[in-house]
Amino acid sequence: MSFIHLQVRSGYSLLSSTVKMEELVTRSCELQFSAIALTDENVLYGAVPFYKACQAHGIKPIIGMIATIVDEHEDELVLLAKNNYGYRQLVHIATTIQMNDGKGIPLSHFSRHTSELIGITSGVRGRIEQHLLNGEIAQAEALVQTYTTIFQPGDFYINIQQHGLQEQAKLFPLLLEYSRRWNVPLVATNDVRYIYQEDALAYECLLAMKYGKKMTDSSRPRLAANEYYLKSADEMAALFPMCDEAVKETIRIAERCHVEFEHKQWFMPRYPVPSGTTADEHLQSWCWEQLTKRFPNRPQPYVERLQYELQIIQQMNFSDYFLIVADFVRFAREQGIFVGPGRGSAAGSLVAYILGITQIDPLQYGLLFERFLNPARLSLPDIDIDFPDDRREEVIRYIEQKYGKDHVAQIITFGTFGMRSAIREVGRVFDVDEHDVQQTLHIGRLDHTRPWHRVVQRIEGLPKHTSIHAAGIVISPCPLTDIVPLQSGQTTTYVTQYAMDALEQIGLLKFDLLA
């Protein structure tokens, strides 16, 4: 294999790609790629699902991003993480961009987070390339010098692409000449926006949706060619017969990138216990104190059950979890905030009952602790606590004040195109007769000989917007940006760029505060 794709947008570049994660990896297997990169626009939304899909298919995942850099002008760079520290640098960059409403990261800030990143110009729309096309050689050289200083030696590349554009044909000899003059290596990429060449129509339909246009609008955004698909290594080699080193350079870059998401322990937040004691000791002391208050005679079945539960909780390292939940429940009650009963399998925990988290005596009703926590299987504690919707934010503010604003975040969710919503949206963009749309909805089946029906099939299942998980928050023992990218939310509380399953994959624990 002589080529690896290093510039790939997925559907997580919302409404800017038709690439579905599983299909991307499956097609990469068919094309016999040993590795592939994911480089969504200014976000890391899909990094963990991408990583998991690659691992499942035996393909090396390269974690990256296309980042907007802001100085006196905007530029875009493809960034690839060389290692886990490089991934953390991507996290900081993605967080900074999204906290700035997606408008980019200042060059001065960006330059402090590049030591373990590989940087590649983004293509014909990049500033260096535009300077060359405009004959502004000195400006292009100055920007090259800026980037070669920002990145480690040998980590900055100039991108060459062939999508059949006149600008690229004009640019190609200039890039060959000036990359040698500036001693900056070339690397060949294809700017992948869809999997198969015939998906170009679906991609343009997505763009029309994004910008509120119809396919019949002459002003709608469109690509000048249909070459932005996942090409084979042979196709890529055929595009650059006079520059095969730029194609082979993708292999050398891929070999330098190693990021692992396999966590070996949970990032368990720490409850602030009194000096000289541990969370296990504090929980145990508190529980025995509360047991005596509820049952002054300490009935033997309760003593044995409490000893058993505390042993399991300590064995599984969840003492902090119980202390944290009990603490914010206590706070809510002290503030006159109504607290729901603590639903679900948590009702089987005597510890949760005597700490006031739940309101049902599990021994009285024969409820099993093992349905909640079981050392025989890796299960996380999950206690659903309800608060009035107009006072839930007070509890979250308390948690932020106690553990630090940068240690607490709500959880993102992704709305996707279901079949019915895809039919409606595609029908609108293609200006399909309403009767035809309603008939298709009624039948619930697509005729794949019709172009707009084929587009529906390609769009169904793609992410279309973000929202916030109705209940979940995460609390981390360290600043969250050491682990996960963040963005601003509807309130002052931060929001993770990873959905719930991805957060668990990297070792963050969810707390449920329902409204």
Side-chain angles (χ1 to χ4, degrees):
M1 181 57 59
S2 59
F3 177 79
I4 297 294
H5 280 284
L6 299 179
Q7 187 171 348
V8 181
R9 290 170 172 84
S10 78
Y12 286 99
S13 292
L14 300 179
L15 302 182
S16 294
S17 169
T18 66
V19 173
K20 301 171 186 176
M21 210 63 75
E22 191 65 30
E23 191 175 35
L24 168 65
V25 177
T26 301
R27 181 58 176 161
S28 297
C29 286
E30 293 172 354
L31 295 174
Q32 300 183 336
F33 291 126
S34 59
I36 192 163
L38 180 69
T39 57
D40 280 316
E41 298 173 4
N42 292 321
V43 293
L44 291 171
Y45 290 159
V48 177
F50 167 71
Y51 181 92
K52 290 172 66 177
C54 285
Q55 292 288 91
H57 289 81
I59 291 179
K60 180 180 181 178
I62 302 171
I63 307 299
M65 181 176 67
I66 297 173
T68 302
I69 317 298
V70 181
D71 196 9
E72 64 271 17
H73 302 286
E74 283 190 5
D75 197 8
E76 284 188 346
L77 290 179
V78 177
L79 304 175
L80 306 175
K82 293 189 289 184
N83 48 41
N84 278 40
Y85 189 78
Y87 162 73
R88 286 177 60 182
Q89 292 180 319
L90 285 180
V91 165
H92 280 279
I93 293 167
T95 299
T96 301
I97 292 173
Q98 292 308 310
M99 293 296 184
N100 190 29
D101 296 326
K103 296 176 182 177
I105 180 172
L107 181 64
S108 57
H109 187 168
F110 172 72
S111 62
R112 300 196 296 269
H113 298 281
T114 58
S115 61
E116 298 302 320
L117 297 178
I118 290 171
I120 306 171
T121 62
S122 61
V124 68
R125 302 301 175 197
R127 279 180 58 201
I128 291 171
E129 289 82 354
Q130 286 296 303
H131 283 315
L132 290 177
L133 286 171
N134 294 333
E136 300 163 347
I137 307 304
Q139 291 93 324
E141 183 173 6
L143 191 52
V144 166
Q145 290 176 348
T146 296
Y147 287 145
T148 54
T149 301
I150 287 174
F151 291 94
Q152 294 294 310
D155 284 349
F156 178 65
Y157 293 81
I158 291 177
N159 199 343
I160 57 170
Q161 299 176 333
Q162 291 283 17
H163 299 110
L165 307 182
Q166 290 183 354
E167 286 180 307
Q168 289 173 333
K170 180 181 177 182
L171 191 59
F172 187 68
L174 297 173
L175 293 177
L176 291 179
E177 175 186 353
Y178 286 100
S179 72
R180 285 192 289 264
R181 183 180 300 185
W182 296 329
N183 195 30
V184 177
L186 293 173
V187 63
T189 76
N190 206 62
D191 186 359
V192 177
R193 313 288 185 98
Y194 39 89
I195 300 291
Y196 301 99
Q197 193 166 20
E198 57 267 27
D199 292 341
L201 181 64
Y203 171 77
E204 293 202 348
C205 177
L206 267 189
L207 288 185
M209 287 183 198
K210 183 174 183 177
Y211 294 100
K213 302 289 186 178
K214 293 188 176 182
M215 296 298 284
T216 53
D217 291 345
S218 59
S219 62
R220 71 174 174 87
R222 64 189 75 201
L223 294 175
N226 64 346
E227 298 294 319
Y228 296 81
Y229 65 97
L230 194 74
K231 294 178 177 176
S232 69
D234 287 343
E235 286 177 298
M236 291 302 297
L239 290 174
F240 304 100
M242 304 300 293
C243 198
D244 61 336
E245 280 303 306
V247 177
K248 294 177 182 176
E249 193 64 40
T250 62
I251 298 294
R252 292 188 278 268
I253 290 175
E255 289 171 349
R256 297 170 57 201
C257 296
H258 302 278
V259 173
E260 293 186 357
F261 281 154
E262 303 303 326
H263 71 90
K264 296 178 174 57
Q265 63 181 8
W266 297 102
F267 292 103
M268 181 63 68
R270 300 302 175 200
Y271 180 79
V273 298
S275 177
T277 189
T278 66
D280 290 343
E281 294 168 344
H282 189 67
L283 178 64
Q284 183 167 309
S285 173
W286 192 5
C287 284
W288 288 114
E289 176 186 329
Q290 294 302 310
L291 181 69
T292 302
K293 287 182 178 180
R294 283 187 182 265
F295 305 99
N297 296 329
R298 286 197 178 190
Q300 189 62 25
Y302 286 84
V303 170
E304 292 176 359
R305 176 66 168 262
L306 183 55
Q307 289 173 334
Y308 169 71
E309 289 193 16
L310 287 172
Q311 176 188 352
I312 298 303
I313 290 169
Q314 293 173 17
Q315 177 184 330
M316 299 181 76
N317 296 314
F318 290 139
S319 291
D320 285 288
Y321 178 87
F322 280 87
L323 290 169
I324 290 168
V325 174
D327 178 65
F328 66 67
V329 168
R330 174 199 56 77
F331 163 81
R333 289 204 171 100
E334 289 178 354
Q335 300 301 310
I337 300 172
F338 183 78
V339 180
R343 296 180 282 111
S345 60
S349 170
L350 179 61
V351 169
Y353 173 59
I354 63 176
L355 291 182
I357 298 171
T358 60
Q359 298 297 309
I360 295 175
D361 179 349
L363 274 71
Q364 182 180 350
Y365 295 97
L367 303 179
L368 300 178
F369 179 70
E370 289 77 13
R371 288 194 61 219
F372 176 56
L373 279 184
N374 191 333
R377 70 177 191 273
L378 182 59
S379 60
L380 299 174
D382 187 13
I383 303 176
D384 293 337
I385 308 292
D386 295 89
F387 302 98
D389 57 4
D390 61 344
R391 301 199 69 184
R392 175 175 175 265
E393 285 299 319
E394 293 177 49
V395 183
I396 296 177
R397 294 288 85 74
Y398 170 76
I399 294 171
E400 287 181 337
Q401 291 166 9
K402 186 145 193 166
Y403 302 98
K405 181 175 173 60
D406 58 349
H407 292 239
V408 179
Q410 294 180 287
I411 299 171
I412 201 169
T413 61
F414 296 96
T416 59
F417 285 101
M419 176 179 283
R420 296 182 69 83
S421 65
I423 289 171
R424 289 191 182 95
E425 285 296 311
V426 174
R428 180 186 61 79
V429 170
F430 274 81
D431 212 10
V432 177
D433 181 79
E434 181 62 22
H435 175 74
D436 195 355
V437 171
Q438 291 301 322
Q439 187 177 37
T440 303
L441 287 168
H442 177 71
I443 295 172
R445 188 175 63 252
L446 298 173
D447 178 356
H448 294 173
T449 63
R450 306 181 69 183
W452 79 277
H453 281 194
R454 291 198 298 272
V455 171
V456 169
Q457 182 187 34
R458 303 308 298 150
I459 286 177
E460 182 185 2
L462 286 174
K464 62 177 179 178
H465 61 75
T466 66
S467 56
I468 297 175
H469 191 279
I473 66 168
V474 289
I475 310 172
S476 169
C478 57
L480 276 165
T481 48
D482 288 350
I483 309 167
V484 59
L486 303 177
Q487 61 189 47
S488 55
Q490 297 168 351
T491 67
T492 58
T493 304
Y494 298 138
V495 179
T496 64
Q497 287 188 28
Y498 293 163
M500 188 168 61
D501 290 346
L503 293 172
E504 184 175 321
Q505 173 75 13
I506 62 175
L508 283 168
L509 189 61
K510 173 175 65 73
F511 294 77
D512 279 326
L513 287 74
L514 293 91

